[in-house]
Amino acid sequence: MKAVWSRAFSYALGIALFVYLPVRFVVDAHAALWTVFVLVLGFLAWHLHQLARLIRWLRGPLDAPLPESRGLWDVVFAGLHRRVRIRIGQQQVLTETLESFNRAAQALPDGIIAFNKHRQIIWINTRAEGHFQLSAATDSGQALTNLIRHPEFVAYLEAGRYEEPLIYRSDRREGQTLLIQVIPYGNEQNLLLSRDISQLERLETMRRDFIANVSHELKTPLTVVAGFTEMLADDFAAYDPGEIKHYLSLICDQSARMQRLIDDLLTLSALETGTGAHTEERVEPEKLLRTIHAEAEALSGGRHVITLTIESPACLSGCSNELRSAFGNLASNAVSYTPEGGRIELSWRVRDGFGEFSVRDSGIGIAAQHLPRLTERFYRVDRSRSRETGGTGLGLAIVKHVLTRHQATLEIQSQPGKGSTFTARFPPQRILG
Ligand code: ADP
């Protein structure tokens, strides 16, 4: 401010000298007046020139270099320049803050749509674009209810009662379920948050199906056991010893069936939760397969020809109890689903560094459409046949879990009427020389 005043004072002094000197030293009054006039005109022209430079600079780009000037104009230029710089700095901070908010909102795992009181989209993040198949570039400014016409969604927005979230099952993307919540904010604006809960829904459905399946599996044997025991308890004397023996053996069969189911459920649960004792040890396939071969022979009761081939002396690193349960399931399935007189081959080999345990049978085989679902819990190709064989429907689910825990895969080749081959493939790091 001091500088401005001192410059203003020098200006005033200059003007006073401009006028005084010609009047004082130019004798002719007419000539003195002309001199003053010319000097004032020059002074004015210089100021107009500076003004023109200022206007040019103001119209130019924001980062144009500051024109150099003298006197008061220097102060004006510098002052304006300082203001512009401060404003640009503030704008930069604001832009960076906005960009960082934008990046944070884009990185959120939830979808976000900001919309106004007319339900027009103000802003939308990438996740929400995916959830609703919208595009920020083309759909901003459009009414949400014009873009998403799902009746439940429209009714939810129109009702304006946002305390409760909406479970939105998309008709655009099959199997997608979104949890939608609207949060009003600011000046009649709203934030719509969407979260993909499809996975949770699937898990919930699986849980419900599982409970229904277990109840169903237990219901049949329980009904048989309850029916016969009630019958015998009511009037035991009315039945002859032969009948009683027959009923008791039926009760025994059904109890054993329930026992197997509970055992398999416990095994599966221990595998799934990882609570079972999983010990890594050196497993000798030959020893293990000899035990399984003997069990299969016992199960078959001489109805099949069961062979065992050990092509490699290599051992396997894994949990022998779990492997025994998995291989045992594959072998007992082969016995159950191969008609009398059929062949069953158990084998162990190492091929391209991978250890392969196979069970090949000449049984009933499986149609191709069933193969991808075979390891699902309670999935059976033929329910009544599985029950006849005493199957729980959990055997292959257990096999799959055991193999996954050993980083191994299960390959199934089968042809209806010709037989099946189940192969468990172990990765090279599990094969011990
Ligand atoms: P289950 O206790 O019913 O045998 P699994 O999970 O072991 O249950 O097998 C699922 C289904 O796969 C069986 O119900 C059967 O339909 C089919 N399956 C399994 N192994 C064989 C096989 N070796 N030959 C033909 N079908 C088989």
Side-chain angles (χ1 to χ4, degrees):
M1 209 56 203
K2 229 170 154 186
V4 177
W5 279 115
S6 73
R7 278 193 172 99
F9 179 70
S10 337
Y11 266 73
L13 200 69
I15 292 169
L17 284 176
F18 267 6
V19 179
Y20 170 75
L21 288 178
V23 173
R24 171 79 180 77
F25 295 107
V26 181
V27 188
D28 182 355
H30 198 247
L33 267 178
W34 269 108
T35 310
V36 170
F37 178 69
V38 169
L39 285 173
V40 170
L41 210 64
F43 189 65
L44 209 66
W46 182 75
H47 276 290
L48 282 175
H49 172 63
Q50 296 304 326
L51 199 64
R53 291 177 73 205
L54 173 64
I55 292 170
R56 221 176 302 133
W57 181 69
L58 287 176
R59 283 184 181 158
L62 276 181
D63 55 352
L66 178 71
E68 276 191 19
S69 189
R70 287 171 179 283
L72 261 184
W73 283 102
D74 185 32
V75 180
V76 170
F77 278 127
L80 276 172
H81 187 62
R82 194 174 60 86
R83 281 173 166 266
V84 170
R85 289 207 67 85
I86 291 174
R87 181 57 56 87
I88 289 176
Q90 283 172 341
Q91 257 175 5
Q92 255 166 8
V93 171
L94 209 65
T95 312
E96 274 164 25
T97 315
L98 263 176
E99 270 174 9
S100 116
F101 268 112
N102 201 358
R103 278 196 297 273
Q106 293 292 10
L108 280 178
D110 292 346
I112 306 176
I113 302 177
F115 63 94
N116 63 17
K117 62 177 174 181
H118 304 297
R119 300 192 200 111
Q120 286 159 328
I121 299 176
I122 301 170
W123 188 85
I124 177 165
N125 75 349
T126 323
R127 199 63 67 141
E129 285 181 305
H131 284 171
F132 298 100
Q133 264 100 67
L134 296 176
S135 150
T138 53
D139 295 329
S140 292
Q142 306 248 36
L144 255 182
T145 36
N146 284 350
L147 299 169
I148 308 166
R149 292 167 181 271
H150 193 286
E152 278 180 34
F153 179 80
V154 174
Y156 179 69
L157 285 199
E158 278 174 358
R161 285 191 298 274
Y162 301 136
E163 306 82 40
E164 289 292 315
L166 169 75
I167 307 268
Y168 171 78
R169 288 189 182 82
S170 165
D171 42 11
R172 299 186 186 191
R173 259 207 201 173
E174 210 188 318
Q176 185 191 53
T177 309
L178 298 174
L179 183 76
I180 290 177
Q181 177 98 54
V182 174
I183 304 164
Y185 75 100
N187 186 18
E188 297 195 70
Q189 292 180 331
N190 297 284
L191 267 190
L192 181 147
L193 303 182
S194 57
R195 173 168 294 179
D196 192 336
I197 54 164
S198 320
Q199 183 67 11
L200 278 177
E201 277 255 305
R202 268 194 290 279
L203 283 177
E204 182 54 24
T205 313
M206 269 170 69
R207 194 187 64 83
R208 271 199 302 267
D209 288 353
F210 182 68
I211 293 175
N213 275 323
V214 172
S215 320
H216 182 77
E217 294 293 330
L218 285 172
K219 201 174 158 209
T220 322
L222 255 179
T223 313
V224 176
V225 170
F228 285 126
T229 40
E230 209 179 298
M231 205 174 83
L232 293 174
D234 269 0
D235 196 357
F236 191 77
Y239 304 97
D240 62 48
E243 276 177 318
I244 294 172
K245 203 170 165 210
H246 174 63
Y247 296 144
L248 285 177
S249 83
L250 286 177
I251 291 173
C252 258
D253 284 352
Q254 296 306 320
S255 308
R257 188 172 149 190
M258 285 191 282
Q259 184 67 52
R260 273 199 305 278
L261 183 66
I262 304 286
D263 286 347
D264 277 359
L265 281 173
L266 288 175
T267 308
L268 203 55
S269 145
L271 285 169
E272 278 179 349
T273 54
T275 49
H278 177 89
T279 46
E280 290 283 329
E281 58 211 312
R282 188 183 179 87
V283 180
E284 287 176 40
E286 183 167 356
K287 206 165 143 196
L288 184 68
L289 292 193
R290 286 205 183 285
T291 317
I292 287 165
H293 182 252
E295 284 171 1
E297 292 269 26
L299 194 67
S300 157
R303 289 177 295 125
H304 308 92
V305 179
I306 308 179
T307 58
L308 172 61
T309 314
I310 306 288
E311 285 183 20
S312 164
C315 287
L316 194 57
S317 163
C319 174
S320 65
N321 278 342
E322 289 180 9
L323 292 173
R324 188 181 158 161
S325 153
F327 297 169
N329 263 307
L330 293 179
S332 76
N333 275 351
V335 173
S336 303
Y337 299 103
T338 303
E340 195 166 346
R343 284 183 62 81
I344 296 170
E345 295 165 36
L346 310 181
S347 62
W348 165 251
R349 71 174 67 83
V350 176
R351 198 185 278 172
D352 301 330
F354 287 81
E356 291 182 355
F357 168 76
S358 302
V359 181
R360 179 196 294 265
D361 65 53
S362 60
I364 59 170
I366 307 156
Q369 75 266 24
H370 297 290
L371 296 181
R373 298 195 59 192
L374 230 47
T375 54
E376 283 176 24
R377 294 179 294 189
F378 297 112
Y379 188 83
R380 290 159 167 131
V381 176
D382 178 346
R383 275 190 175 267
S384 55
R385 177 154 192 149
S386 161
R387 290 229 175 79
E388 264 171 42
T389 61
T392 58
L394 295 173
L396 290 181
I398 292 174
V399 172
K400 191 180 167 209
H401 270 286
V402 169
L403 295 187
T404 305
R405 269 157 84 107
H406 289 79
Q407 299 81 45
T409 52
L410 180 67
E411 285 164 20
I412 310 170
Q413 287 167 328
S414 190
Q415 259 190 303
K418 295 215 168 138
S420 319
T421 306
F422 287 74
T423 307
R425 287 191 99 218
F426 293 85
Q429 67 267 25
R430 290 227 165 244
I431 310 305
L432 311 171

